[in-house]
């Protein structure tokens, strides 16, 4: 028996059979519906006293029958045909409605999410034809025809059911009330071909570089979060996406008392995200927090396009930036550790080996094989990272034997650490106004003339990977060989971007990460960078809060001589206190 979707509670077997017979109906390809089919649908809907929806393809075949509204019976996005933005789905919905009113916004939104060819709404009444033996059947009192329209035509043709006035925010058109006879005489193919031609012209005019992801950002703020920090976090996520090579189209926000355990945001917001993504032509959704595998799966099922979280964006940036063998090794380890718990599958897709009830099966499946292969690969990479740690440790011991003090440059990503290293040591480290522009650590010697004795003193400066708010745990573990340059250094130079609006928050984030390291780092000197871009109020605030800090501009080489002397003092202090 064919599947009937929606709310079937309380329906008789005879009523279910009537609904199932709708699958055997065939409509003309050039007509929205026929009077006979519409009346039959109205009779069934009146009999069960519930709305009924039938989804029909362009061959006139019923492919889905459901009891409920278009919103309650809609086809999941992953089951819809995958056409381009210039095409409709090739499916129309004929829906009955018990109340005499135009289709509501929920039904129209459902039409837009599925990119239906058309939505036909039949308003029915029970005061219809009498059956033999008594009783009445419903019949169609009036009908509404709704369909999507290209956004370029919105201002002139779109009518909303509430105001019946043009509104450029709504991507659909609704007809005035139609008689059933007038509806069934409309040329369906002519309507669809005209709409797709318009969509095609709009699509050609809006084509962009297909190598870049078109991204919709989603931010969720809970009651206990500060509004300013939330906005800074979203702005940073936008920078991360742009650094990864994506184009941010729009930001969707929601304030909730707590995170929804299944979809992070509420059901209504999920529908809004899906509709916004479809309207803008987005092909990727990025959330501002870590998502569980189940949340990703639920969101992708309901939205129909790829969903990733903040950690995955950071991992993608690291994969692009890794140049050395050590960097690539650590990035691969972080990616595999992130991927392993996200391999899903059970039931028919996965069997289990073993003995006893519930453990027998035909053998190992692809999922089990992949999981085992990834686990083996992680073990090998862990061994190589351990070897890398030992190698870096030997290099540090050689420097310690030569009694050369070491200072590690730390700070938030894009604070200017690599630019400062280049300015101090004439190194040629890659620099750019991007997040995580430098991934691999670079060590250089710096000779500083002691103002008291006049003799040059050598120190070693090491540029390290930048930090960020809530640095993913998988990266912390994978990059432990690199981060050991921080914990094993004699002292730290904490570089801060003073021109950034959230510079104080960034200082707290870096200090928080340093406090979580297994070995307590040495003494820290604060260097407030980019003073040439900071305003006078920020400079005054920084001087009052951090009077011992050094104020510099690495790009314009301001304050570097003062910094050199302070570095020499820091190195002497670090060595004498060991």
């Amino acid at each position: 028996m064919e599947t009937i979707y929606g709310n079937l509670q309380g329906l008789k077997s005879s009523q279910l059979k009537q609904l199932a017979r709708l699958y055997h109906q065939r409509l003309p390809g050039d007509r929205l519906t026929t009077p006979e089919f519409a009346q039959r649908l109205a009779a069934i809907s009146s009999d069960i006293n519930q709305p009924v929806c039938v989804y029909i393809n362009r061959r006139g075949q019923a492919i889905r029958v459901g009891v409920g509204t278009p919103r309650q019976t809609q086809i999941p996005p992953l089951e819809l045909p995958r056409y381009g933005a210039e095409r409709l789905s090739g499916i129309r919905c004929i829906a009955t409605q018990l109340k005499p009113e135009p289709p509501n916004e929920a039904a129209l939104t459902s039409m837009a999410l599925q990119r239906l060819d058309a939505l036909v709404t039949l308003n029915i009444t029970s005061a219809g034809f009498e059956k033999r033996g008594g009783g009445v059947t419903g019949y169609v009192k009036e009908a509404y025809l709704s369909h999507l329209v290209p956004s370029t035509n919105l201002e002139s043709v779109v009518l909303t059911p509430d105001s019946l006035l043009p509104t450029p925010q709504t991507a659909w058109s609704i007809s005035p009330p139609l008689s059933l006879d007038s509806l069934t005489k409309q040329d369906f193919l002519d309507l669809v071909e005209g709409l797709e031609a318009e969509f095609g012209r709009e699509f050609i005019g809006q084509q962009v570089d297909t190598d870049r992801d078109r991204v919709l950002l989603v931010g969720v703020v809970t009651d206990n979060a500060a509004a300013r920090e939330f906005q800074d976090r979203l702005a940073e996520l936008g920078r991360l996406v742009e650094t990864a090579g994506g184009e941010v189209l729009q930001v969707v926000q929601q304030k909730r008392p707590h995170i929804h355990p299944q979809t992070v945001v509420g059901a209504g917001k999920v529908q809004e995200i899906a509709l916004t993504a479809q309207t803008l032509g987005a092909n990727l959704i990025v959330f501002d927090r870590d998502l569980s595998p189940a949340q990703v799966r639920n969101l992708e099922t309901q939205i129909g396009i790829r969903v990733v979280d903040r950690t995955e964006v950071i991992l993608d940036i690291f994969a692009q930036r890794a140049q050395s063998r050590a960097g690539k090794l650590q990035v691969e380890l972080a990616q595999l550790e992130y991927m392993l718990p996200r391999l899903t599958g059970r039931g028919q897709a996965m069997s289990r080996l073993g003995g006893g009830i519930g453990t027998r099966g035909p053998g190992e499946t692809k999922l089990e094989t992949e999981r085992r292969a990834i686990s083996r690969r992680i073990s090998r990479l862990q061994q190589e990272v351990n070897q890398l740690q030992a190698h870096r440790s030997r290099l540090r011991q050689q420097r310690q034997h030569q009694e050369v003090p070491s200072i590690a440059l730390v700070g938030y990503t894009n604070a200017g650490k690599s630019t400062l290293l280049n300015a101090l040591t004439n190194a040629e480290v890659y620099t750019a106004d991007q997040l995580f522009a430098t991934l691999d650590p670079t060590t250089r010697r710096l000779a500083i003339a002691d103002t008291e004795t006049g003799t040059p003193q050598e120190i070693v400066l090491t540029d390290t990977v930048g930090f960020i708010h809530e640095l993913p745990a998988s990266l912390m573990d994978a990059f432990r060989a690199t981060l050991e340059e921080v914990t094993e250094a004699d002292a730290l130079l904490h570089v801060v971007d003073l021109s950034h609006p959230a510079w104080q928050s960034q200082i707290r984030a870096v200090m928080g990460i340093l406090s979580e390291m297994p070995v307590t780092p040495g003494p820290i000197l604060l260097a407030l960078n980019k003073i040439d871009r900071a305003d006078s109020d920020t400079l005054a605030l920084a001087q009052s809060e951090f009077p011992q800090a050094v104020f510099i501009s690495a790009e314009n080489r301001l304050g570097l001589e003062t910094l050199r002397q302070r570095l020499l003092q820091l190195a002497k202090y670090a060595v004498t206190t060991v």
Side-chain angles (χ1 to χ4, degrees):
M1 186 175 177
E2 290 84 356
T3 302
I4 309 298
Y5 298 88
N7 181 21
L8 309 183
Q9 189 174 4
L11 296 185
K12 303 174 185 176
S13 60
S14 59
Q15 293 169 333
L16 292 173
K17 288 179 182 178
Q18 289 268 6
L19 289 165
R21 290 194 188 104
L22 293 173
Y23 279 107
H24 304 291
Q25 297 290 305
R26 188 75 176 255
L27 297 180
D30 60 346
R31 290 291 175 261
L32 288 160
T33 185
T34 62
E36 296 79 16
F37 185 82
Q39 293 290 5
R40 181 174 182 181
L41 193 61
I44 296 173
S45 181
S46 178
D47 183 38
I48 66 176
N49 196 32
Q50 291 192 63
V52 177
C53 295
V54 180
Y55 294 84
I56 299 168
N57 61 24
R58 291 186 188 174
R59 293 191 296 271
Q61 299 169 321
I63 60 172
R64 187 183 183 91
V65 176
V67 178
T69 64
R71 170 74 177 273
Q72 295 165 335
T73 62
Q74 70 183 36
I75 303 172
L78 295 179
E79 296 180 18
L80 288 167
R82 303 298 292 175
Y83 297 132
E86 75 278 15
R87 294 281 305 277
L88 297 170
S89 66
I91 300 169
R92 61 188 182 273
C93 175
I94 303 176
T96 64
Q97 191 166 258
L98 304 181
K99 294 181 180 180
E101 60 185 16
N104 58 28
E105 189 169 350
L108 295 167
T109 301
S110 176
M111 173 186 70
L113 288 173
Q114 299 171 89
R115 289 190 69 81
L116 296 178
D117 291 347
L119 171 65
V120 176
T121 306
L122 306 175
N123 287 351
I124 66 172
T125 175
S126 58
F129 308 110
E130 292 191 2
K131 291 193 221 175
R132 290 182 182 178
V136 295
T137 66
Y139 74 97
V140 179
K141 181 180 179 181
E142 60 187 13
Y144 291 90
L145 172 60
S146 311
H147 59 77
L148 299 178
V149 292
S151 59
T152 52
N153 296 342
L154 289 180
E155 295 184 1
S156 59
V157 303
V158 175
L159 299 178
T160 63
D162 296 325
S163 63
L164 295 182
L165 292 174
T167 167
Q169 283 78 32
T170 316
W172 48 66
S173 172
I174 307 169
S175 73
L178 303 171
S179 67
L180 183 58
D181 186 56
S182 174
L183 176 73
T184 55
K185 288 181 179 178
Q186 293 212 24
D187 192 323
F188 169 62
L189 289 181
D190 185 58
L191 170 69
V192 171
E193 288 172 359
L195 286 175
E196 289 195 335
E198 291 186 47
F199 278 117
R201 286 191 290 271
E202 182 185 54
F203 175 74
I204 292 172
Q206 292 181 349
Q207 272 187 318
V208 294
D209 184 2
T210 54
D211 291 336
R212 299 188 70 189
D213 281 317
R214 293 169 59 82
V215 181
L216 183 67
L217 300 185
V218 181
V220 186
V221 59
T222 52
D223 291 341
N224 57 355
R228 178 61 185 271
E229 289 185 6
F230 173 64
Q231 295 301 327
D232 290 341
R233 182 188 180 94
L234 280 181
E236 182 178 87
L237 182 62
R239 288 290 309 276
L240 286 169
V241 168
E242 290 170 356
T243 301
E247 176 189 2
V248 178
L249 303 178
Q250 189 171 316
V251 180
V252 177
Q253 303 179 25
Q254 185 178 42
K255 185 174 183 179
R256 293 179 58 85
H258 52 80
I259 298 300
H260 194 289
Q262 294 179 326
T263 55
V264 182
V265 295
K269 186 61 70 172
V270 173
Q271 293 277 355
E272 179 188 329
I273 292 169
L275 185 58
T276 304
Q278 184 191 96
T279 304
L280 299 176
N283 62 353
L284 181 65
I285 309 293
V286 177
F287 276 74
D288 69 335
R289 60 189 58 243
D290 286 345
L291 303 176
S292 69
Q295 287 171 338
V296 172
R297 187 167 59 251
N298 294 335
L299 288 165
E300 288 184 344
T301 300
Q302 296 183 44
I303 298 174
I305 61 177
R306 193 159 57 98
V307 175
V308 301
D309 57 18
R310 179 174 176 269
T311 297
E312 199 162 349
V313 175
I314 295 174
L315 287 173
D316 185 84
I317 296 172
F318 273 53
Q320 294 179 43
R321 294 285 184 267
Q323 299 295 327
S324 67
R325 179 180 175 277
K328 293 176 181 177
L329 174 77
Q330 294 172 103
V331 167
E332 184 183 359
L333 177 58
Q335 287 179 322
L336 290 178
E337 288 180 338
Y338 176 83
M339 184 193 307
L340 183 60
R342 286 163 173 78
L343 291 176
T344 58
R346 193 73 186 261
Q348 293 181 353
M350 177 177 176
S351 66
R352 290 170 290 175
L353 298 175
I357 296 174
T359 62
R360 286 180 284 265
E364 197 170 39
T365 62
K366 182 180 179 182
L367 174 64
E368 291 172 314
T369 305
E370 288 181 352
R371 183 170 286 152
R372 194 156 49 86
I374 289 177
S375 297
R376 284 201 305 265
R377 179 63 178 162
I378 287 176
S379 297
R380 286 198 297 269
L381 290 174
Q382 293 277 16
Q383 293 175 0
E384 293 188 43
V385 168
N386 291 337
Q387 293 173 3
L388 180 62
Q389 279 182 289
H391 173 66
R392 291 193 183 281
S393 177
R394 288 191 294 272
L395 292 178
R396 285 192 296 269
Q397 287 175 1
Q398 290 177 7
R399 292 196 294 266
Q400 289 168 358
H401 287 319
Q402 297 171 4
E403 297 183 350
V404 178
S406 62
I407 297 177
L409 276 64
V410 300
Y412 211 80
T413 179
N414 203 37
K417 299 182 295 298
S418 299
T419 303
L420 180 58
L421 182 71
N422 290 343
L424 290 172
T425 66
N426 296 320
E428 296 181 355
V429 179
Y430 172 75
T431 60
D433 186 17
Q434 295 175 329
L435 304 184
F436 301 113
T438 307
L439 188 59
D440 297 309
T442 303
T443 300
R444 294 290 185 271
R445 286 179 179 262
L446 172 64
I448 304 174
D450 192 334
T451 54
E452 296 178 358
T453 63
T455 58
Q457 300 287 330
E458 279 196 344
I459 63 173
V460 171
L461 291 181
T462 301
D463 181 21
T464 60
V465 63
F467 294 166
I468 198 168
H469 278 290
E470 298 177 14
L471 192 66
S474 57
L475 280 175
M476 289 284 287
D477 177 65
F479 277 77
R480 61 184 183 274
T482 299
L483 295 175
E484 273 192 359
E485 297 291 345
V486 174
T487 58
E488 296 295 329
D490 296 315
L492 302 181
L493 178 63
H494 182 180
V495 184
V496 179
D497 178 4
L498 196 59
S499 67
H500 196 283
W503 63 275
Q504 293 165 302
S505 174
Q506 291 183 353
I507 290 177
R508 290 192 295 270
V510 172
M511 297 307 292
I513 293 172
L514 291 175
S515 66
E516 294 172 0
M517 289 190 171
V519 179
T520 304
I524 300 175
L525 172 64
L526 198 63
L528 301 179
N529 191 23
K530 304 184 184 180
I531 57 173
D532 53 318
R533 302 183 189 177
D535 56 47
S536 57
D537 292 340
T538 302
L539 285 169
L541 177 62
Q543 287 171 342
S544 63
E545 282 196 30
F546 304 101
Q548 300 300 318
V550 184
F551 291 78
I552 63 170
S553 172
E555 187 177 22
N556 294 322
R557 297 178 178 269
L558 300 176
L560 295 189
E561 186 56 41
T562 302
L563 177 62
R564 289 188 181 93
Q565 294 304 316
R566 293 291 299 275
L567 286 174
L568 188 58
Q569 295 172 14
L570 178 67
K572 289 180 179 179
Y573 173 78
V575 171
T576 56
T577 55
V578 173

